[in-house]
């Protein structure tokens, strides 16, 4: 418990330093649906494209019901590592398309298998679909890597061939999903600046990054799914609806 408290205090301290470095004080932050934004991010026209991300944990999804609640896009889990496929991917993909929800498939990145093999797993699972969002590589932590993350060189040696193979197959640069921690460890420094970015930052908008999608809540709830996970992640696209419609097209 003490260790968790210390981590929380450290995170709050680092956030305060970050705000000071940016010249962003409390007065300069606004609220949007309970989440903190900078003043230059507060235009409602920039937040009118709403989406979710789902996996087998949401069970059977009623995509028409989600669409009727304002869901315009969905990132759908497809694969993990070099061998795992989400058992509900195909039905979610087809269901989203049928309901007019723009789908994007995501791959949970593994530090334990070569990038080429992970790309093959994804390519076998996800069809090339006109109008779909670009493929996503979800870079976060699991198991032993929660406490002892892979080093930068090792992670990039796996990531780079994975990204290259996906771009060749789908004809667009993949979207990179990151947390603050995974971004700083693996994506910072300019090498991946040309890739679209989907940032996970519940509560406060990502302040330092030129992101395209923001996962702003892990505890949303909508009608239309029956899995044992009652929550669903909420996301927003950074731009107008016309920007979204043009985003990621080959």
């Amino acid at each position: 418990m003490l260790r968790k408290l210390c981590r929380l205090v450290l995170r709050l301290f680092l956030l305060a330093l970050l705000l000071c470095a940016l010249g962003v004080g409390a007065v300069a932050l606004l609220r949007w649906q309970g989440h903190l934004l900078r003043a230059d991010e507060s235009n409602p026209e920039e937040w009118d494209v709403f989406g979710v991300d789902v996996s087998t944990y949401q069970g059977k999804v009623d995509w028409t019901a989600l669409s009727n609640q304002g869901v315009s896009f969905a990132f759908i889990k497809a694969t993990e590592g070099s061998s795992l496929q989400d058992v509900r991917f195909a039905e979610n993909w087809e269901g989203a398309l049928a309901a007019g929800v723009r789908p994007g498939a995501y791959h949970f990145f593994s530090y334990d298998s070569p990038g080429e093999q992970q790309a093959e797993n994804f390519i076998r699972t996800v069809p090339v679909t006109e109008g779909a969002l670009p493929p996503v590589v979800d870079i976060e932590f699991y198991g032993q890597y929660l406490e002892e993350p892979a080093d930068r060189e090792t992670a990039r040696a796996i990531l780079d061939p994975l990204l290259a193979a996906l771009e060749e197959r789908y004809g667009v640069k993949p979207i990179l999903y990151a947390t603050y921690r995974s971004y700083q460890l693996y994506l910072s420094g300019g090498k991946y600046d040309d890739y679209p970015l989907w940032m996970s930052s519940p509560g406060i908008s990502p302040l330092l990054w030129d992101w395209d999608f923001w996962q702003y809540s892990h505890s949303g709830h909508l009608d239309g799914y029956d899995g044992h996970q009652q929550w669903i992640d909420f996301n927003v696209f950074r731009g107008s609806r016309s920007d979204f419609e043009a985003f990621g097209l080959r």
Side-chain angles (χ1 to χ4, degrees), residues 52-55 63 74-79 86 88-90 92-94 96 103-107 122:
V52 296
D53 54 277
V54 304
S55 70
W63 286 99
F75 290 117
I76 301 169
K77 184 173 183 180
T79 52
D86 189 289
R88 291 192 177 272
F89 171 73
N92 280 331
W93 189 258
E94 294 302 323
Y106 77 87
H107 171 78
F122 187 91

Side-chain angles (χ1 to χ4, degrees), residues 7-8 23 28 72 96 108 111 207 223 226 236:
R7 286 181 178 175
L8 177 60
S72 295
F108 191 88
Y111 305 98
L207 296 176
D223 296 328
D226 63 5
V236 69

Side-chain angles (χ1 to χ4, degrees), residues 67-250:
S67 178
N68 289 340
Q69 293 168 90
V71 173
S72 295
F73 67 90
F75 290 117
I76 301 169
K77 184 173 183 180
T79 52
E80 181 173 333
S82 60
S83 59
L84 187 148
Q85 299 90 38
D86 189 289
V87 296
R88 291 192 177 272
F89 171 73
E91 70 178 73
N92 280 331
W93 189 258
E94 294 302 323
L97 285 168
V101 175
R102 189 179 181 189
Y106 77 87
H107 171 78
F108 191 88
F109 180 76
S110 171
Y111 305 98
D112 298 306
S113 57
E116 295 87 348
Q117 293 180 13
Q118 295 189 49
E120 290 171 4
N121 185 26
F122 187 91
I123 289 168
R124 284 195 303 266
T125 304
V126 181
V128 176
T129 304
E130 184 177 356
L133 289 165
V136 178
V137 178
D138 175 348
I139 307 170
E140 47 188 303
F141 303 97
Y142 58 89
Q144 70 189 63
Y145 301 106
L146 289 167
E147 297 294 334
E148 299 178 4
D151 63 69
R152 188 180 183 95
E153 291 72 23
T154 298
R156 286 185 168 188
I158 299 170
L159 177 62
D160 289 349
L162 168 59
L163 293 175
L166 295 184
E167 183 172 355
E168 180 179 1
R169 171 61 173 169
Y170 298 96
V172 292
K173 283 191 174 298
I175 297 169
L176 294 170
Y177 169 97
T179 64
Y180 280 88
R181 188 184 185 203
S182 64
Y183 188 96
Q184 286 297 94
L185 282 174
Y186 306 130
L187 303 180
S188 61
K191 180 178 180 180
Y192 301 99
D193 285 355
D194 290 339
Y195 289 86
L197 183 61
W198 174 19
M199 283 296 296
S200 176
S201 180
I204 184 168
S205 70
L207 296 176
L208 289 180
W209 295 278
D210 187 16
W211 51 272
D212 298 281
F213 295 89
W214 170 29
Q215 186 183 71
Y216 65 85
S217 176
H218 295 317
S219 55
H221 183 77
L222 296 172
D223 296 328
Y225 52 93
D226 63 5
H228 68 269
Q229 172 58 267
Q230 63 176 315
W231 307 117
I232 192 167
D233 294 337
F234 285 172
N235 302 273
V236 69
F237 172 72
R238 188 178 198 173
S240 66
R241 187 159 295 275
S242 61
D243 293 333
F244 175 74
E245 291 171 354
F247 178 85
L249 297 181
R250 292 188 293 173

